[in-house]
């Protein structure tokens, strides 16, 4: 059974940091490009960061550039999202997802195109 399990969310003050983890089981994440998505209340789920299978290519949405860092440890079957300088507008449920297509690149990663999803971890940023 394929599982992606996120952890590391929580309540943090604005300006703080968190590191989210996504551990895979039942799949070898090195065969996938990986993405971190988030969904805030009343909003659509959006891609915030993506990483190719090797980690050689990354993508960030404009609102998180220079604050978020996605990286992976394929030996641990885990992908991470380091979040710094948190803002209240970062409050959301954060999901990781795996995509078996075009794994060497990070272009065109979409919500609809991902093969597997975790259940999410909640990040709440207080002002």
């Amino acid at each position: 059974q394929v599982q992606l399990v996120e952890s590391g969310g929580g309540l943090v003050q604005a300006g703080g940091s968190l590191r989210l983890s996504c551990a895979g089981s039942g799949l070898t994440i090195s065969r996938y490009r990986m993405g971190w998505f988030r969904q805030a209340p009343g909003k659509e789920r959006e891609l915030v960061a993506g990483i190719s299978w090797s980690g050689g290519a990354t993508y960030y949405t404009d609102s998180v550039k220079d604050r978020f860092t996605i990286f992976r440890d394929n030996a641990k079957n885990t992908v991470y999202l380091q979040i710094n300088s948190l803002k209240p507008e970062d409050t959301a449920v954060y999901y990781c997802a795996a995509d078996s297509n075009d794994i060497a690149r990070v272009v065109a990663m979409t919500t609809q195109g991902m093969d597997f999803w975790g259940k999410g971890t909640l990040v709440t940023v207080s002002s």
Side-chain angles (χ1 to χ4, degrees):
Q1 182 181 1
V2 172
Q3 281 191 309
L4 295 172
V5 180
E6 302 95 337
S7 61
L11 174 64
V12 63
Q13 288 188 329
S17 298
L18 285 173
R19 178 174 291 184
L20 307 184
S21 299
C22 171
S25 63
L27 80 167
T28 302
I29 70 162
S30 62
R31 298 177 182 174
Y32 298 83
R33 61 181 184 175
M34 302 294 292
W36 281 98
F37 294 74
R38 69 184 178 187
Q39 188 166 18
K43 295 188 176 181
E44 293 187 353
R45 192 171 298 189
E46 64 169 344
L47 175 67
V48 295
I51 189 166
S52 63
W53 76 274
S54 67
T58 56
Y59 162 85
Y60 301 94
T61 195
D62 287 345
S63 62
V64 309
K65 283 180 181 176
D66 300 324
R67 299 190 299 120
F68 289 20
T69 303
I70 187 171
F71 59 102
R72 64 193 298 160
D73 186 338
N74 287 341
K76 294 183 178 180
N77 222 34
T78 301
V79 63
Y80 304 90
L81 187 68
Q82 178 68 38
I83 310 175
N84 298 327
S85 303
L86 276 157
K87 303 176 179 180
E89 52 264 42
D90 294 320
T91 294
V93 178
Y94 285 72
Y95 301 89
C96 73
D99 182 2
S100 61
N101 297 301
D102 208 3
I103 65 171
R105 303 197 302 165
V106 290
V107 295
M109 291 182 72
T110 65
T111 305
Q112 295 84 354
M114 308 308 284
D115 295 307
F116 302 107
W117 288 89
K119 294 184 178 180
T121 185
L122 176 62
V123 173
T124 304
V125 185
S126 63
S127 57

